Amino acid sequence: MLSSLTRLQRYYLYYTVSFLAFIGALAVLEQHGMPPRWIGYAFLFFTISMYAVIGIMSRTSDVSEYYVAGRRVPAFFNGMATGADWMSAASFIGLAGTLYLSGHQGLAFVIGWTGGFVLVALLLAPYLRRFGEYTIPDFLGARYGGNAIRMVAVAAAILASFVYVVAQIYGVGVITSRFVSLQFEIGVFVGLAGILVCSFLGGMKAVTWTQVAQYVILIIAYITPVAILSWNVTGNPVPQLVYGQVLQEVGRLEEKLFNMPAEIEVRQLYRERADLYAEKIMQLPSSLLLEREQISTRINELKASDAQMKDIVALEKQRRELPHDPEQAKARWENAMYSAVDRSQPPVHHAEAFPGETAEQQLPERINFLALIFCLTIGTAALPHVLTRYYTTPSVSQARDSVFWSLLFILLLYITAPAYAVFAKYEVLSHLVEIPIAKLPSWVAAWTKIGLVNIEDINGDGILQLAELALNPDVIVLATPEIAGMPYVVSGLVAAGGLAAALSTADGLLLTITSSLSHDIYYRIIRPDASTQFRLVISKSMLLVVAVLAATVAAQKPGTILSMVSWAFSIAGSAFFPALVLGIFWQRATRAGALAGMLLGMLLTIYYILRVEFDSIPWLGIKGIGMEPWFHVHSTSAGVFGVCAGFITIIAVSLMTRPDGEGGDFLQGIRRSGEEDGR
C-alpha cells in the first residue's frame, strides 16, 4: 500500500505516525509521574523543532520559491496548507468558545467562514492562478494600472493582515503562558521565535510544508479531547453524531440552574452593583472625592485602634488603586457597570435562536447574525494570505481542486466545533457549577491567574453559582481537557494544536505583509532593478521588523482573538472584494472607480470599528469618540457598510469616468480556458 503513495505522502505519513508515538510515550511517562510542566515543555520543544527542521530543509534563495513555493505544490497538499493557513487561533481556540458562550448566534462564524470558500472557488481562485504573479496588489495593479491602486492595496493588505497576525500572536502568548508557565508577555515573544523559524529562511516554500505538518497536529489535537468526552458521556466516540442528545441534556440542566433561588439572588446583586456604579458615574467628580475620603477615614480609624496591619495595608492599596481623575473614574466604572449588567441578565439557553421576549428585542440579534455571516463570507474571499495560496499550484485546474481539498480539511474542524461547545457546557453545568468554591479544581486558579477565568462569590455563600463564573471564550477549548478531568497529556496535545493553528496562520500573514512591502513597494515602485538577492534581504528584514512590532502590540492584549479576527475580515472584505470581483467580471470598472471604492470602503470600516468599539485612543490623545452602532450592527460586522459602499462607489465612479484601455485585454487573458488551464 505504501508503494502507491507519492514520496511526499509517505513523508507526511511517517511524520504523523511519529507524532502519535510521541503522544503515546508522553502518556506513559505521565502515568509514571512526569510533571505537567515537563509535558508542556516536551510538546513545545518537539513541535517547534519539527517546524524548524522543515523550515531549514526548505530554505531557498529563489524568488519564485520564496514568494509562491515555485508553483509546484500539489492540490492535495495546497488544500491541507490552506486549511492550516485558514484555521487560525480564532478557529481553533475562539470558535468553540464563542459557540459555548453565545450558542446559536455563534453559528454565524461557521456559516460565514465556510461560505467564503465557495466564493473563492467560484469567483476568484481560478482567475488569480491564471494571472500567475505573486501578490493581490500585483493583480489589482495589472488589472487597473498605475501605482496608486497598488499602494492602496498594499496598505489594506498590511492593515488587515497586521490586525489578524496580532490575534495569532496573542493566542500563542495565552498558550505558552498557561502550559509552560511563562509570563504572558514573554510567552508572546517565545511564540514569535516559533513563527520566525518557519518562514524566515524559506518564505512561502517553507511556510507551505510547515503548514502541512501543522495541519496534522492541529486536527488531531482538536478532535481527540472531544472524542474522548463523547465516549465518556454517550459511549459513542463520534461527537458530531451524538451531540444532539447531549444538547437536550444541557437544556434540562439550564432549565434547572437558571431558576434556582441562589442564581436569581446573584443576578439581583449584580443588578444592584450596576445601579451603584451608574449612580457614582452620574455624581462625578464628587463621588470620587467622597470615596477617597471614606477610605481615608476608615484607614485613620483602623490606625487609631488595635486593627491588624494587613487590614490597613489592604485599605491603603485600595486607595492607591482609585482612579486618579474623573475621566479615568468614568472609564473604569463604566467597564465595571457593563460587566455587572452582563452578569445580571438572565442567561440565554444554548439552543435558543435570536434571544429576546419580543420581536423588537430579537431584531438586533437577527441583524447581527446576518451581518456577521455577510462580513465573514466576503472577508474570507478577500483575505490576501489565503488568496495568495492559489498562486502556488502548478496549474489553474489544480488551484480549483485545492479549493475542494481546503474545504474538506476545514470541514473536519468546523463540524466538530459545535459539538465541542455542547460537551464543554455539559461538563461545566454538571460538574463545576453549584459546588463549594473551596473545592474548585486547580485549573480554575491557573486560568484565573492569566486573567481568562473570573470567579466572585458575590453572595458570600461559598458556593459557585453560574452567574459568578465568567469564562473568556478563548479558554474553552484549551481548558476542556482539564474541565473533563482528562490526563494532562491531552491538555498538552490541545495546546500544541492551538500553537500549530496560530503559528501556521501567523506565518502566512507575516509573509503577506513582507511580500507587500518588499515586492509591491520596494521592487515594483522604488527599485525595479534591484537584484534578486537584495529583494530577499529586504523581505527578510521586513519580516523581522513586522513580527516584533506585532508581538509588541499583542502583548498589550487589545481584545479577544475572535473580535480582532472579525475586524480583519471586515477590513479585507471592504477593501478588496468589490475591486477584485468587479475587476474580473465587469469590464467597465475603471482605475478611478476601483481606487475610490477601495479607499471609501476601507476607511468607512475603520471609522466604524474605532467609534463603536473605542471611546478613546490614549496614545493618540483622542477622547470621547464613541458612538452608538448604526442599525444595531456590532463593530465585528463593520464590513457590511464598507463592502456596500465599495461596490456602489466603484460602479458610480466607473460610469462617470472614461473606460481604461487595458482592461479588455487583461480580462481576456485571465478568462481564457481549455488547454491553457493546464499550464
Side-chain angles (χ1 to χ4, degrees):
M1 181 178 173
L2 282 177
S3 59
S4 63
L5 301 177
T6 65
R7 189 178 60 174
L8 270 173
Q9 289 170 332
R10 283 200 300 275
Y11 285 165
Y12 280 103
L13 180 62
Y14 297 147
Y15 164 82
T16 305
V17 172
S18 301
F19 182 64
L20 293 174
F22 172 74
I23 298 170
L26 283 182
V28 172
L29 290 172
E30 185 181 5
Q31 293 293 320
H32 288 80
M34 188 175 188
R37 177 181 288 194
W38 286 104
I39 293 175
Y41 278 120
F43 270 112
L44 184 68
F45 179 77
F46 178 84
T47 54
I48 291 188
S49 296
M50 293 299 294
Y51 307 151
V53 168
I54 296 171
I56 292 169
M57 291 175 66
S58 305
R59 65 187 182 279
T60 182
S61 58
D62 179 85
V63 169
S64 177
E65 288 190 340
Y66 189 86
Y67 286 121
V68 289
R71 305 191 201 282
R72 291 196 297 269
V73 183
F76 177 83
F77 287 105
N78 195 52
M80 195 177 279
T82 306
D85 204 349
W86 171 252
M87 287 187 293
S88 61
S91 294
F92 192 96
I93 299 174
L95 181 57
T98 298
L99 285 162
Y100 172 95
L101 291 179
S102 57
H104 175 275
Q105 295 298 99
L107 291 175
F109 287 93
V110 179
I111 298 169
W113 282 340
T114 310
F117 273 92
V118 177
L119 292 186
V120 172
L122 294 177
L123 303 180
L124 298 172
Y127 303 103
L128 291 175
R129 176 60 190 90
R130 197 172 286 127
F131 169 61
E133 285 293 335
Y134 297 124
T135 66
I136 300 306
D138 260 342
F139 182 89
L140 291 170
R143 165 62 180 85
Y144 294 107
N147 284 332
I149 198 159
R150 183 186 293 276
M151 295 286 284
V152 173
V154 167
I158 290 173
L159 183 60
S161 301
F162 189 80
V163 174
Y164 208 158
V165 82
V166 167
Q168 308 313 309
I169 296 177
Y170 172 86
V172 172
V174 170
I175 293 167
T176 51
S177 58
R178 168 65 185 93
F179 290 97
V180 291
S181 302
L182 291 176
Q183 188 179 337
F184 175 81
E185 290 77 8
I186 297 174
V188 162
F189 284 92
V190 170
L192 181 65
I195 293 167
L196 292 177
V197 299
C198 303
S199 54
F200 187 73
L201 295 176
M204 181 62 88
K205 182 183 176 186
V207 167
T208 298
W209 299 121
T210 51
Q211 283 174 337
V212 174
Q214 286 159 343
Y215 178 82
V216 172
I217 290 178
L218 75 86
I219 202 65
I220 291 174
Y222 200 81
I223 292 177
T224 298
V226 71
I228 295 173
L229 254 180
S230 178
W231 173 260
N232 291 341
V233 175
T234 68
N236 187 327
V238 186
Q240 298 87 347
L241 297 179
V242 293
Y243 82 91
Q245 67 187 68
V246 180
L247 181 59
Q248 292 179 357
E249 185 60 30
V250 166
R252 282 192 285 273
L253 287 169
E254 289 175 334
E255 198 65 41
K256 173 187 168 188
L257 286 169
F258 290 176
N259 298 315
M260 290 179 69
E263 291 288 347
I264 295 171
E265 178 198 7
V266 167
R267 294 201 292 270
Q268 178 60 33
L269 289 173
Y270 278 116
R271 196 169 299 118
E272 291 171 5
R273 177 181 288 182
D275 292 341
L276 181 62
Y277 275 116
E279 187 178 341
K280 286 166 64 175
I281 292 169
M282 288 180 64
Q283 293 176 357
L284 277 171
S286 59
S287 56
L288 180 60
L289 294 172
L290 180 62
E291 188 158 337
R292 196 182 302 279
E293 287 174 4
Q294 288 175 338
I295 295 176
S296 298
T297 304
R298 181 68 181 144
I299 291 172
N300 292 333
E301 289 174 356
L302 289 179
K303 285 181 177 177
S305 65
D306 295 331
Q308 294 186 358
M309 183 55 69
K310 67 175 185 179
D311 295 331
I312 299 173
V313 170
L315 275 175
E316 286 180 336
K317 182 184 177 190
Q318 189 178 342
R319 185 172 59 182
R320 283 198 305 274
E321 291 177 350
L322 278 176
H324 298 301
D325 54 56
E327 286 187 2
Q328 192 181 53
K330 182 171 183 285
R332 192 181 296 181
W333 289 348
E334 277 184 346
N335 287 335
M337 181 184 70
Y338 291 138
S339 173
V341 168
D342 287 342
R343 290 191 177 198
S344 71
Q345 300 298 316
V348 176
H349 290 267
H350 191 86
E352 183 179 356
F354 313 122
E357 295 179 358
T358 64
E360 285 186 356
Q361 291 175 344
Q362 293 176 347
L363 182 62
E365 302 294 338
R366 290 179 189 277
I367 290 174
N368 278 292
F369 185 78
L370 296 174
L372 191 56
I373 290 175
F374 176 83
C375 288
L376 296 175
T377 303
I378 299 296
T380 299
L383 282 176
H385 76 286
V386 173
L387 295 178
T388 305
R389 289 230 57 88
Y390 299 103
Y391 285 138
T392 65
T393 58
S395 66
V396 172
S397 61
Q398 292 226 22
R400 195 177 284 114
D401 291 345
S402 72
V403 177
F404 164 77
W405 287 114
S406 307
L407 268 173
L408 181 66
F409 291 126
I410 291 168
L411 184 70
L412 291 176
L413 188 144
Y414 280 6
I415 61 172
T416 307
Y420 217 126
V422 170
F423 278 99
K425 183 163 279 189
Y426 174 78
E427 287 296 319
V428 168
L429 296 183
S430 57
H431 298 128
L432 190 65
V433 176
E434 296 301 321
I435 68 171
I437 291 177
K439 294 183 179 179
L440 287 174
S442 58
W443 65 265
V444 174
W447 284 106
T448 301
K449 186 178 176 184
I450 299 172
L452 297 182
V453 173
N454 179 270
I455 286 177
E456 180 187 17
D457 187 15
I458 191 170
N459 61 350
D461 66 352
I463 304 294
L464 178 66
Q465 275 79 45
L466 185 61
E468 294 174 331
L469 171 67
L471 294 172
N472 187 298
D474 299 339
V475 83
I476 297 299
V477 167
L478 297 173
T480 290
E482 296 170 293
I483 294 172
M486 295 180 194
Y488 193 81
V489 70
V490 182
S491 298
L493 173 63
V494 172
L499 198 62
L503 294 182
S504 60
T505 305
D507 281 324
L509 290 163
L510 283 175
L511 200 61
T512 297
I513 294 172
T514 55
S515 296
S516 296
L517 291 170
S518 64
H519 176 77
D520 292 303
I521 300 291
Y522 183 76
Y523 173 63
R524 291 290 189 186
I525 298 175
I526 299 175
R527 281 191 62 186
D529 58 342
S531 67
T532 300
Q533 292 301 322
F534 200 71
R535 287 166 60 191
L536 294 185
V537 169
I538 292 292
S539 180
K540 291 177 181 179
S541 304
M542 289 292 156
L543 189 68
L544 281 175
V545 173
V546 174
V548 171
L549 188 59
T552 305
V553 175
Q556 309 303 315
K557 301 182 180 178
T560 65
I561 294 173
L562 217 54
S563 62
M564 286 187 275
V565 166
S566 299
W567 298 336
F569 275 73
S570 281
I571 293 169
S574 58
F576 289 115
F577 191 76
L580 283 171
V581 171
L582 291 176
I584 293 171
F585 296 99
W586 191 41
Q587 185 173 337
R588 186 67 179 77
T590 66
R591 181 190 314 157
L595 198 56
M598 289 179 69
L599 276 172
L600 183 65
M602 181 173 62
L603 293 176
L604 181 61
T605 301
I606 295 170
Y607 170 85
Y608 193 81
I609 292 172
L610 290 177
R611 292 206 58 190
V612 171
E613 191 65 26
F614 304 100
D615 187 53
S616 63
I617 307 176
W619 59 280
L620 288 178
I622 299 174
K623 299 176 183 176
I625 60 171
M627 72 173 191
E628 290 298 314
W630 300 339
F631 308 106
H632 309 289
V633 173
H634 297 158
S635 67
T636 48
S637 304
V640 74
F641 303 110
V643 172
C644 294
F647 269 113
I648 293 169
T649 305
I650 293 175
I651 293 170
V653 175
S654 295
L655 291 176
M656 290 188 291
T657 51
R658 183 176 297 175
D660 300 327
E662 304 87 0
D665 295 339
F666 179 85
L667 291 181
Q668 284 181 3
I670 63 168
R671 286 179 183 172
R672 68 182 184 274
S673 59
E675 68 277 4
E676 291 181 74
D677 276 2
R679 79 176 174 85

